[in-house]
Amino acid sequence: MSSNTGVRIGIDRMGMFVPGQYLDVEDLARARGVEPAKFTKGIGQSRMSVPQHYDDIVSMGANAIADILPDIDVNRLGLLIVGTESGIDQSKSSSLFIKHLVGLPNRIESFEIKEACFGGTAGLFAAYHYVAAHPDKTVLVVASDVARYGLGTAGEITQGAGAVAMLISVNPSILVINDDAEDYSDDINDFWRPNGMTEAVVDGKYSTQVYLDFFRHVFDAYCGKHALAPRDFAALLFHLPFTKMGMKALNVALENADVETGKRLRENFELSASYARNVGNLYTASLYLSLMSWLEHADDAAGQRIGLFSYGSGAMGKFFTGCVQPNYRQHLHALAHEHMLMDRERIDMDEYERMFTHYHAAEDAETKYPESGFYFSGVQGAIRQYSRA
Ligand code: CAA
């Protein structure tokens, strides 16, 4: 398991952040006149993260880095990349705001990447190749997003918000990534967000079909090239716009698998989907939330091969594999993440609709701020302001 240069590169640390409020999807179902089982079973969601006016991609990304910053040797850091499709500026990178907020040095390189939900993976592989060229350096990759479709839309149940931060290095503590991914891209219109719009435009049913088509392309190509079958993976992990989407893709992978393999991979899929079921779609961060969820819930997986499917509408698909490292559990923050999810405040429909409606409109007006962490504190002279509680 190594790069072409023979160096082992991958994920050394993983941190996350989700907003402090959530909506129970059964409340959403009742308010929209939908059978709750459609959302809990048909879509596969339980709770949806709802961002406050002060939670944006910068504050959430900075909070995700803060989760792992004490474990990082900042002197080795060479690059900070942010993947997002919820950009806060048409020109300036969100990574520069984040770099300043968390106190990273000015000598590092820093930029933002966009290709819908694929942006986090694009960042991860850019980081991989940077580290291959500079093995003494590390890279921080942040995936941060707010998924918004609109009140009363079919996509509403698949909203969410949050961020994942990953440190990429040689000889990583958590996951060695193999540099032999399979890619597939095409110019299609399944989901996009035109300039000036705060909600995504989506052809929902078509998007789910393209997701499955792209998965089939890259998974079959990878397995064919490396003479692998589903039984050779400890887990298959997915970008999860909603958890049922990943289960449908897993079923594609399992079409010709034996019963025991199917049972094992479905059980592991449920472990990987636990966080997503409780926060919703994190767009660029979604696949990496699945990875954290699986690593933080599965039995000891050291030495095992896993497969990961990244999908970004528009569209781009990538299937890649990795090897879980010995003692990886010591480098995760499983208990803290459980508390982060458990300690959230449940909001009702009125509060959810108020927060959704004011999310962008409240930039200058709202004065309520969180009790801890980084937050967006308004706009002054067309410049976004951030603070730390
Ligand atoms: N009990 C149990 N299940 C029920 C039910 C009930 N009472 N009522 C309906 N269901 C089931 C349906 O049978 C269906 O299951 P299958 O998909 O297995 O057939 C499921 O619930 C969903 O029902 P519908 O197809 O009628 O759902 P919908 O028309 O309301 O839309 C959606 C679903 C298209 C996913 C919509 O939520 C949407 O547009 N979401 C946003 C787009 C999206 O997430 N696309 C994913 C691929 S694109 C991507 O991955 C990039 C990204 O992050 C956006």
Side-chain angles (χ1 to χ4, degrees), residues 266-299:
R266 285 194 179 92
E267 283 168 3
N268 278 291
F269 173 79
E270 289 304 328
L271 301 178
S272 76
S274 171
Y275 287 164
R277 189 182 296 281
N278 284 290
V279 301
N281 194 354
L282 302 192
Y283 287 163
T284 52
S286 170
L287 172 62
Y288 303 98
L289 192 75
S290 303
L291 174 59
M292 288 178 85
S293 185
W294 183 71
L295 291 169
E296 294 182 356
H297 291 100
D299 291 339

PDB file of all heavy atoms in Angstrom, residues 266-299:
ATOM      1  N   ARG A 266     -23.204  -4.955   4.814  1.00  0.00           N
ATOM      2  CA  ARG A 266     -24.374  -4.155   5.207  1.00  0.00           C
ATOM      3  C   ARG A 266     -24.264  -3.715   6.670  1.00  0.00           C
ATOM      4  O   ARG A 266     -24.615  -2.594   7.020  1.00  0.00           O
ATOM      5  CB  ARG A 266     -25.669  -4.946   4.974  1.00  0.00           C
ATOM      6  CG  ARG A 266     -26.040  -5.017   3.509  1.00  0.00           C
ATOM      7  CD  ARG A 266     -27.470  -5.502   3.286  1.00  0.00           C
ATOM      8  NE  ARG A 266     -27.751  -5.523   1.859  1.00  0.00           N
ATOM      9  CZ  ARG A 266     -27.565  -6.599   1.077  1.00  0.00           C
ATOM     10  NH1 ARG A 266     -27.156  -7.735   1.601  1.00  0.00           N
ATOM     11  NH2 ARG A 266     -27.812  -6.535  -0.219  1.00  0.00           N
ATOM     12  N   GLU A 267     -23.776  -4.621   7.527  1.00  0.00           N
ATOM     13  CA  GLU A 267     -23.599  -4.239   8.943  1.00  0.00           C
ATOM     14  C   GLU A 267     -22.581  -3.106   9.068  1.00  0.00           C
ATOM     15  O   GLU A 267     -22.777  -2.150   9.814  1.00  0.00           O
ATOM     16  CB  GLU A 267     -23.117  -5.453   9.754  1.00  0.00           C
ATOM     17  CG  GLU A 267     -24.233  -6.433  10.053  1.00  0.00           C
ATOM     18  CD  GLU A 267     -23.748  -7.774  10.603  1.00  0.00           C
ATOM     19  OE1 GLU A 267     -22.521  -7.941  10.814  1.00  0.00           O
ATOM     20  OE2 GLU A 267     -24.606  -8.639  10.817  1.00  0.00           O
ATOM     21  N   ASN A 268     -21.493  -3.224   8.329  1.00  0.00           N
ATOM     22  CA  ASN A 268     -20.478  -2.164   8.381  1.00  0.00           C
ATOM     23  C   ASN A 268     -20.995  -0.873   7.772  1.00  0.00           C
ATOM     24  O   ASN A 268     -20.653   0.220   8.223  1.00  0.00           O
ATOM     25  CB  ASN A 268     -19.183  -2.627   7.694  1.00  0.00           C
ATOM     26  CG  ASN A 268     -18.367  -3.475   8.648  1.00  0.00           C
ATOM     27  OD1 ASN A 268     -17.838  -2.976   9.632  1.00  0.00           O
ATOM     28  ND2 ASN A 268     -18.296  -4.773   8.382  1.00  0.00           N
ATOM     29  N   PHE A 269     -21.842  -0.991   6.727  1.00  0.00           N
ATOM     30  CA  PHE A 269     -22.435   0.214   6.158  1.00  0.00           C
ATOM     31  C   PHE A 269     -23.254   0.956   7.213  1.00  0.00           C
ATOM     32  O   PHE A 269     -23.176   2.181   7.328  1.00  0.00           O
ATOM     33  CB  PHE A 269     -23.330  -0.125   4.953  1.00  0.00           C
ATOM     34  CG  PHE A 269     -24.069   1.077   4.466  1.00  0.00           C
ATOM     35  CD1 PHE A 269     -23.436   2.027   3.668  1.00  0.00           C
ATOM     36  CD2 PHE A 269     -25.385   1.308   4.854  1.00  0.00           C
ATOM     37  CE1 PHE A 269     -24.092   3.178   3.268  1.00  0.00           C
ATOM     38  CE2 PHE A 269     -26.052   2.458   4.458  1.00  0.00           C
ATOM     39  CZ  PHE A 269     -25.409   3.387   3.663  1.00  0.00           C
ATOM     40  N   GLU A 270     -24.032   0.223   8.006  1.00  0.00           N
ATOM     41  CA  GLU A 270     -24.854   0.874   9.041  1.00  0.00           C
ATOM     42  C   GLU A 270     -23.970   1.647  10.022  1.00  0.00           C
ATOM     43  O   GLU A 270     -24.326   2.739  10.458  1.00  0.00           O
ATOM     44  CB  GLU A 270     -25.719  -0.150   9.782  1.00  0.00           C
ATOM     45  CG  GLU A 270     -26.869  -0.711   8.950  1.00  0.00           C
ATOM     46  CD  GLU A 270     -27.790   0.365   8.382  1.00  0.00           C
ATOM     47  OE1 GLU A 270     -27.967   1.412   9.025  1.00  0.00           O
ATOM     48  OE2 GLU A 270     -28.315   0.156   7.267  1.00  0.00           O
ATOM     49  N   LEU A 271     -22.808   1.078  10.364  1.00  0.00           N
ATOM     50  CA  LEU A 271     -21.894   1.785  11.277  1.00  0.00           C
ATOM     51  C   LEU A 271     -21.378   3.068  10.615  1.00  0.00           C
ATOM     52  O   LEU A 271     -21.254   4.109  11.261  1.00  0.00           O
ATOM     53  CB  LEU A 271     -20.714   0.884  11.665  1.00  0.00           C
ATOM     54  CG  LEU A 271     -21.075  -0.437  12.356  1.00  0.00           C
ATOM     55  CD1 LEU A 271     -19.819  -1.248  12.630  1.00  0.00           C
ATOM     56  CD2 LEU A 271     -21.827  -0.177  13.658  1.00  0.00           C
ATOM     57  N   SER A 272     -21.100   2.988   9.321  1.00  0.00           N
ATOM     58  CA  SER A 272     -20.571   4.166   8.606  1.00  0.00           C
ATOM     59  C   SER A 272     -21.641   5.234   8.424  1.00  0.00           C
ATOM     60  O   SER A 272     -21.324   6.408   8.249  1.00  0.00           O
ATOM     61  CB  SER A 272     -20.009   3.754   7.242  1.00  0.00           C
ATOM     62  OG  SER A 272     -21.053   3.505   6.317  1.00  0.00           O
ATOM     63  N   ALA A 273     -22.910   4.838   8.443  1.00  0.00           N
ATOM     64  CA  ALA A 273     -24.004   5.780   8.184  1.00  0.00           C
ATOM     65  C   ALA A 273     -24.554   6.426   9.459  1.00  0.00           C
ATOM     66  O   ALA A 273     -25.407   7.301   9.386  1.00  0.00           O
ATOM     67  CB  ALA A 273     -25.131   5.052   7.454  1.00  0.00           C
ATOM     68  N   SER A 274     -24.034   5.999  10.615  1.00  0.00           N
ATOM     69  CA  SER A 274     -24.611   6.465  11.874  1.00  0.00           C
ATOM     70  C   SER A 274     -24.533   7.996  12.025  1.00  0.00           C
ATOM     71  O   SER A 274     -25.527   8.645  12.362  1.00  0.00           O
ATOM     72  CB  SER A 274     -23.877   5.776  13.033  1.00  0.00           C
ATOM     73  OG  SER A 274     -24.256   6.350  14.240  1.00  0.00           O
ATOM     74  N   TYR A 275     -23.384   8.585  11.750  1.00  0.00           N
ATOM     75  CA  TYR A 275     -23.273  10.053  11.894  1.00  0.00           C
ATOM     76  C   TYR A 275     -24.148  10.770  10.854  1.00  0.00           C
ATOM     77  O   TYR A 275     -24.857  11.727  11.177  1.00  0.00           O
ATOM     78  CB  TYR A 275     -21.821  10.504  11.766  1.00  0.00           C
ATOM     79  CG  TYR A 275     -20.933  10.160  12.964  1.00  0.00           C
ATOM     80  CD1 TYR A 275     -19.549  10.196  12.860  1.00  0.00           C
ATOM     81  CD2 TYR A 275     -21.480   9.813  14.193  1.00  0.00           C
ATOM     82  CE1 TYR A 275     -18.723   9.895  13.953  1.00  0.00           C
ATOM     83  CE2 TYR A 275     -20.677   9.512  15.282  1.00  0.00           C
ATOM     84  CZ  TYR A 275     -19.303   9.547  15.158  1.00  0.00           C
ATOM     85  OH  TYR A 275     -18.496   9.248  16.230  1.00  0.00           O
ATOM     86  N   ALA A 276     -24.089  10.292   9.590  1.00  0.00           N
ATOM     87  CA  ALA A 276     -24.867  10.957   8.527  1.00  0.00           C
ATOM     88  C   ALA A 276     -26.365  10.893   8.817  1.00  0.00           C
ATOM     89  O   ALA A 276     -27.100  11.841   8.551  1.00  0.00           O
ATOM     90  CB  ALA A 276     -24.563  10.307   7.176  1.00  0.00           C
ATOM     91  N   ARG A 277     -26.828   9.778   9.361  1.00  0.00           N
ATOM     92  CA  ARG A 277     -28.242   9.636   9.699  1.00  0.00           C
ATOM     93  C   ARG A 277     -28.669  10.714  10.705  1.00  0.00           C
ATOM     94  O   ARG A 277     -29.815  11.141  10.731  1.00  0.00           O
ATOM     95  CB  ARG A 277     -28.475   8.239  10.313  1.00  0.00           C
ATOM     96  CG  ARG A 277     -29.910   7.855  10.512  1.00  0.00           C
ATOM     97  CD  ARG A 277     -30.004   6.487  11.164  1.00  0.00           C
ATOM     98  NE  ARG A 277     -29.465   5.425  10.338  1.00  0.00           N
ATOM     99  CZ  ARG A 277     -30.093   4.862   9.323  1.00  0.00           C
ATOM    100  NH1 ARG A 277     -31.304   5.268   9.013  1.00  0.00           N
ATOM    101  NH2 ARG A 277     -29.520   3.910   8.616  1.00  0.00           N
ATOM    102  N   ASN A 278     -27.712  11.174  11.499  1.00  0.00           N
ATOM    103  CA  ASN A 278     -28.015  12.141  12.558  1.00  0.00           C
ATOM    104  C   ASN A 278     -27.636  13.582  12.260  1.00  0.00           C
ATOM    105  O   ASN A 278     -27.905  14.464  13.067  1.00  0.00           O
ATOM    106  CB  ASN A 278     -27.354  11.692  13.859  1.00  0.00           C
ATOM    107  CG  ASN A 278     -28.135  10.554  14.484  1.00  0.00           C
ATOM    108  OD1 ASN A 278     -29.241  10.766  14.972  1.00  0.00           O
ATOM    109  ND2 ASN A 278     -27.591   9.354  14.414  1.00  0.00           N
ATOM    110  N   VAL A 279     -27.003  13.825  11.107  1.00  0.00           N
ATOM    111  CA  VAL A 279     -26.677  15.218  10.754  1.00  0.00           C
ATOM    112  C   VAL A 279     -27.178  15.620   9.366  1.00  0.00           C
ATOM    113  O   VAL A 279     -27.352  16.798   9.096  1.00  0.00           O
ATOM    114  CB  VAL A 279     -25.161  15.525  10.863  1.00  0.00           C
ATOM    115  CG1 VAL A 279     -24.660  15.274  12.256  1.00  0.00           C
ATOM    116  CG2 VAL A 279     -24.345  14.772   9.851  1.00  0.00           C
ATOM    117  N   GLY A 280     -27.392  14.656   8.465  1.00  0.00           N
ATOM    118  CA  GLY A 280     -27.828  14.990   7.108  1.00  0.00           C
ATOM    119  C   GLY A 280     -26.664  15.107   6.154  1.00  0.00           C
ATOM    120  O   GLY A 280     -25.560  14.621   6.427  1.00  0.00           O
ATOM    121  N   ASN A 281     -26.908  15.754   5.030  1.00  0.00           N
ATOM    122  CA  ASN A 281     -25.886  15.865   3.987  1.00  0.00           C
ATOM    123  C   ASN A 281     -24.871  16.949   4.344  1.00  0.00           C
ATOM    124  O   ASN A 281     -25.256  18.094   4.611  1.00  0.00           O
ATOM    125  CB  ASN A 281     -26.556  16.202   2.640  1.00  0.00           C
ATOM    126  CG  ASN A 281     -25.612  16.003   1.460  1.00  0.00           C
ATOM    127  OD1 ASN A 281     -24.419  15.720   1.635  1.00  0.00           O
ATOM    128  ND2 ASN A 281     -26.143  16.134   0.263  1.00  0.00           N
ATOM    129  N   LEU A 282     -23.604  16.604   4.365  1.00  0.00           N
ATOM    130  CA  LEU A 282     -22.537  17.598   4.568  1.00  0.00           C
ATOM    131  C   LEU A 282     -21.796  17.840   3.258  1.00  0.00           C
ATOM    132  O   LEU A 282     -20.658  18.325   3.276  1.00  0.00           O
ATOM    133  CB  LEU A 282     -21.538  17.140   5.648  1.00  0.00           C
ATOM    134  CG  LEU A 282     -22.080  16.835   7.045  1.00  0.00           C
ATOM    135  CD1 LEU A 282     -20.932  16.699   8.045  1.00  0.00           C
ATOM    136  CD2 LEU A 282     -23.049  17.900   7.511  1.00  0.00           C
ATOM    137  N   TYR A 283     -22.413  17.488   2.125  1.00  0.00           N
ATOM    138  CA  TYR A 283     -21.800  17.702   0.809  1.00  0.00           C
ATOM    139  C   TYR A 283     -20.333  17.226   0.785  1.00  0.00           C
ATOM    140  O   TYR A 283     -20.088  16.046   0.831  1.00  0.00           O
ATOM    141  CB  TYR A 283     -21.881  19.177   0.418  1.00  0.00           C
ATOM    142  CG  TYR A 283     -23.241  19.711   0.018  1.00  0.00           C
ATOM    143  CD1 TYR A 283     -23.478  21.086  -0.010  1.00  0.00           C
ATOM    144  CD2 TYR A 283     -24.299  18.891  -0.357  1.00  0.00           C
ATOM    145  CE1 TYR A 283     -24.698  21.629  -0.405  1.00  0.00           C
ATOM    146  CE2 TYR A 283     -25.531  19.423  -0.751  1.00  0.00           C
ATOM    147  CZ  TYR A 283     -25.722  20.787  -0.766  1.00  0.00           C
ATOM    148  OH  TYR A 283     -26.935  21.321  -1.147  1.00  0.00           O
ATOM    149  N   THR A 284     -19.357  18.158   0.711  1.00  0.00           N
ATOM    150  CA  THR A 284     -17.935  17.762   0.556  1.00  0.00           C
ATOM    151  C   THR A 284     -17.431  16.905   1.709  1.00  0.00           C
ATOM    152  O   THR A 284     -16.495  16.121   1.545  1.00  0.00           O
ATOM    153  CB  THR A 284     -17.018  18.998   0.482  1.00  0.00           C
ATOM    154  OG1 THR A 284     -17.306  19.845   1.605  1.00  0.00           O
ATOM    155  CG2 THR A 284     -17.208  19.771  -0.804  1.00  0.00           C
ATOM    156  N   ALA A 285     -18.013  17.084   2.899  1.00  0.00           N
ATOM    157  CA  ALA A 285     -17.523  16.383   4.094  1.00  0.00           C
ATOM    158  C   ALA A 285     -18.188  15.030   4.288  1.00  0.00           C
ATOM    159  O   ALA A 285     -17.772  14.248   5.146  1.00  0.00           O
ATOM    160  CB  ALA A 285     -17.744  17.249   5.333  1.00  0.00           C
ATOM    161  N   SER A 286     -19.216  14.749   3.486  1.00  0.00           N
ATOM    162  CA  SER A 286     -20.075  13.596   3.767  1.00  0.00           C
ATOM    163  C   SER A 286     -19.313  12.266   3.763  1.00  0.00           C
ATOM    164  O   SER A 286     -19.445  11.465   4.698  1.00  0.00           O
ATOM    165  CB  SER A 286     -21.217  13.563   2.743  1.00  0.00           C
ATOM    166  OG  SER A 286     -21.919  12.361   2.839  1.00  0.00           O
ATOM    167  N   LEU A 287     -18.505  12.014   2.728  1.00  0.00           N
ATOM    168  CA  LEU A 287     -17.776  10.739   2.662  1.00  0.00           C
ATOM    169  C   LEU A 287     -16.842  10.590   3.868  1.00  0.00           C
ATOM    170  O   LEU A 287     -16.687   9.498   4.421  1.00  0.00           O
ATOM    171  CB  LEU A 287     -16.957  10.669   1.362  1.00  0.00           C
ATOM    172  CG  LEU A 287     -16.000   9.481   1.233  1.00  0.00           C
ATOM    173  CD1 LEU A 287     -16.756   8.157   1.258  1.00  0.00           C
ATOM    174  CD2 LEU A 287     -15.177   9.597  -0.054  1.00  0.00           C
ATOM    175  N   TYR A 288     -16.255  11.690   4.293  1.00  0.00           N
ATOM    176  CA  TYR A 288     -15.268  11.630   5.386  1.00  0.00           C
ATOM    177  C   TYR A 288     -15.963  11.514   6.739  1.00  0.00           C
ATOM    178  O   TYR A 288     -15.407  10.945   7.680  1.00  0.00           O
ATOM    179  CB  TYR A 288     -14.283  12.807   5.245  1.00  0.00           C
ATOM    180  CG  TYR A 288     -13.681  12.670   3.865  1.00  0.00           C
ATOM    181  CD1 TYR A 288     -14.159  13.416   2.786  1.00  0.00           C
ATOM    182  CD2 TYR A 288     -12.774  11.653   3.607  1.00  0.00           C
ATOM    183  CE1 TYR A 288     -13.700  13.182   1.500  1.00  0.00           C
ATOM    184  CE2 TYR A 288     -12.309  11.404   2.322  1.00  0.00           C
ATOM    185  CZ  TYR A 288     -12.775  12.165   1.275  1.00  0.00           C
ATOM    186  OH  TYR A 288     -12.341  11.896   0.006  1.00  0.00           O
ATOM    187  N   LEU A 289     -17.200  12.002   6.805  1.00  0.00           N
ATOM    188  CA  LEU A 289     -18.011  11.738   7.996  1.00  0.00           C
ATOM    189  C   LEU A 289     -18.352  10.251   8.064  1.00  0.00           C
ATOM    190  O   LEU A 289     -18.340   9.650   9.143  1.00  0.00           O
ATOM    191  CB  LEU A 289     -19.289  12.581   7.967  1.00  0.00           C
ATOM    192  CG  LEU A 289     -20.065  12.591   9.284  1.00  0.00           C
ATOM    193  CD1 LEU A 289     -19.371  13.485  10.305  1.00  0.00           C
ATOM    194  CD2 LEU A 289     -21.498  13.064   9.072  1.00  0.00           C
ATOM    195  N   SER A 290     -18.625   9.633   6.914  1.00  0.00           N
ATOM    196  CA  SER A 290     -18.876   8.182   6.868  1.00  0.00           C
ATOM    197  C   SER A 290     -17.649   7.422   7.354  1.00  0.00           C
ATOM    198  O   SER A 290     -17.761   6.455   8.117  1.00  0.00           O
ATOM    199  CB  SER A 290     -19.182   7.706   5.439  1.00  0.00           C
ATOM    200  OG  SER A 290     -20.267   8.388   4.902  1.00  0.00           O
ATOM    201  N   LEU A 291     -16.480   7.864   6.895  1.00  0.00           N
ATOM    202  CA  LEU A 291     -15.236   7.204   7.308  1.00  0.00           C
ATOM    203  C   LEU A 291     -15.051   7.318   8.826  1.00  0.00           C
ATOM    204  O   LEU A 291     -14.748   6.331   9.508  1.00  0.00           O
ATOM    205  CB  LEU A 291     -14.046   7.836   6.561  1.00  0.00           C
ATOM    206  CG  LEU A 291     -12.648   7.378   6.973  1.00  0.00           C
ATOM    207  CD1 LEU A 291     -12.474   5.876   6.782  1.00  0.00           C
ATOM    208  CD2 LEU A 291     -11.587   8.154   6.173  1.00  0.00           C
ATOM    209  N   MET A 292     -15.269   8.515   9.374  1.00  0.00           N
ATOM    210  CA  MET A 292     -15.120   8.702  10.829  1.00  0.00           C
ATOM    211  C   MET A 292     -16.138   7.859  11.586  1.00  0.00           C
ATOM    212  O   MET A 292     -15.824   7.260  12.610  1.00  0.00           O
ATOM    213  CB  MET A 292     -15.303  10.175  11.213  1.00  0.00           C
ATOM    214  CG  MET A 292     -14.158  11.044  10.793  1.00  0.00           C
ATOM    215  SD  MET A 292     -14.468  12.753  11.227  1.00  0.00           S
ATOM    216  CE  MET A 292     -13.914  12.760  12.860  1.00  0.00           C
ATOM    217  N   SER A 293     -17.358   7.836  11.078  1.00  0.00           N
ATOM    218  CA  SER A 293     -18.420   7.089  11.745  1.00  0.00           C
ATOM    219  C   SER A 293     -18.042   5.613  11.797  1.00  0.00           C
ATOM    220  O   SER A 293     -18.195   4.955  12.842  1.00  0.00           O
ATOM    221  CB  SER A 293     -19.736   7.286  10.985  1.00  0.00           C
ATOM    222  OG  SER A 293     -20.792   6.670  11.651  1.00  0.00           O
ATOM    223  N   TRP A 294     -17.531   5.092  10.686  1.00  0.00           N
ATOM    224  CA  TRP A 294     -17.165   3.664  10.659  1.00  0.00           C
ATOM    225  C   TRP A 294     -15.968   3.402  11.578  1.00  0.00           C
ATOM    226  O   TRP A 294     -16.002   2.484  12.406  1.00  0.00           O
ATOM    227  CB  TRP A 294     -16.852   3.224   9.226  1.00  0.00           C
ATOM    228  CG  TRP A 294     -16.538   1.763   9.165  1.00  0.00           C
ATOM    229  CD1 TRP A 294     -17.429   0.733   9.332  1.00  0.00           C
ATOM    230  CD2 TRP A 294     -15.260   1.165   8.979  1.00  0.00           C
ATOM    231  NE1 TRP A 294     -16.769  -0.471   9.249  1.00  0.00           N
ATOM    232  CE2 TRP A 294     -15.438  -0.242   9.026  1.00  0.00           C
ATOM    233  CE3 TRP A 294     -13.983   1.674   8.750  1.00  0.00           C
ATOM    234  CZ2 TRP A 294     -14.390  -1.132   8.869  1.00  0.00           C
ATOM    235  CZ3 TRP A 294     -12.927   0.788   8.589  1.00  0.00           C
ATOM    236  CH2 TRP A 294     -13.136  -0.602   8.655  1.00  0.00           C
ATOM    237  N   LEU A 295     -14.916   4.220  11.462  1.00  0.00           N
ATOM    238  CA  LEU A 295     -13.717   4.001  12.294  1.00  0.00           C
ATOM    239  C   LEU A 295     -14.056   4.094  13.778  1.00  0.00           C
ATOM    240  O   LEU A 295     -13.485   3.379  14.605  1.00  0.00           O
ATOM    241  CB  LEU A 295     -12.638   5.034  11.952  1.00  0.00           C
ATOM    242  CG  LEU A 295     -11.976   4.907  10.574  1.00  0.00           C
ATOM    243  CD1 LEU A 295     -11.138   6.151  10.282  1.00  0.00           C
ATOM    244  CD2 LEU A 295     -11.113   3.650  10.492  1.00  0.00           C
ATOM    245  N   GLU A 296     -15.005   4.984  14.125  1.00  0.00           N
ATOM    246  CA  GLU A 296     -15.300   5.229  15.535  1.00  0.00           C
ATOM    247  C   GLU A 296     -16.336   4.251  16.102  1.00  0.00           C
ATOM    248  O   GLU A 296     -16.579   4.250  17.301  1.00  0.00           O
ATOM    249  CB  GLU A 296     -15.719   6.688  15.737  1.00  0.00           C
ATOM    250  CG  GLU A 296     -14.536   7.625  15.429  1.00  0.00           C
ATOM    251  CD  GLU A 296     -14.771   9.116  15.632  1.00  0.00           C
ATOM    252  OE1 GLU A 296     -15.892   9.525  15.964  1.00  0.00           O
ATOM    253  OE2 GLU A 296     -13.804   9.867  15.444  1.00  0.00           O
ATOM    254  N   HIS A 297     -16.935   3.417  15.229  1.00  0.00           N
ATOM    255  CA  HIS A 297     -17.934   2.455  15.713  1.00  0.00           C
ATOM    256  C   HIS A 297     -17.581   0.996  15.455  1.00  0.00           C
ATOM    257  O   HIS A 297     -18.109   0.105  16.131  1.00  0.00           O
ATOM    258  CB  HIS A 297     -19.312   2.737  15.077  1.00  0.00           C
ATOM    259  CG  HIS A 297     -19.928   4.020  15.548  1.00  0.00           C
ATOM    260  ND1 HIS A 297     -19.882   5.186  14.820  1.00  0.00           N
ATOM    261  CD2 HIS A 297     -20.581   4.326  16.685  1.00  0.00           C
ATOM    262  CE1 HIS A 297     -20.492   6.143  15.479  1.00  0.00           C
ATOM    263  NE2 HIS A 297     -20.929   5.659  16.620  1.00  0.00           N
ATOM    264  N   ALA A 298     -16.737   0.717  14.474  1.00  0.00           N
ATOM    265  CA  ALA A 298     -16.464  -0.676  14.097  1.00  0.00           C
ATOM    266  C   ALA A 298     -15.522  -1.341  15.097  1.00  0.00           C
ATOM    267  O   ALA A 298     -14.772  -0.671  15.806  1.00  0.00           O
ATOM    268  CB  ALA A 298     -15.848  -0.726  12.702  1.00  0.00           C
ATOM    269  N   ASP A 299     -15.583  -2.701  15.112  1.00  0.00           N
ATOM    270  CA  ASP A 299     -14.587  -3.457  15.873  1.00  0.00           C
ATOM    271  C   ASP A 299     -13.222  -3.179  15.270  1.00  0.00           C
ATOM    272  O   ASP A 299     -13.130  -2.688  14.143  1.00  0.00           O
ATOM    273  CB  ASP A 299     -14.889  -4.954  15.789  1.00  0.00           C
ATOM    274  CG  ASP A 299     -16.159  -5.297  16.551  1.00  0.00           C
ATOM    275  OD1 ASP A 299     -16.553  -4.502  17.424  1.00  0.00           O
ATOM    276  OD2 ASP A 299     -16.763  -6.344  16.239  1.00  0.00           O
TER     277      ASP A 299
END
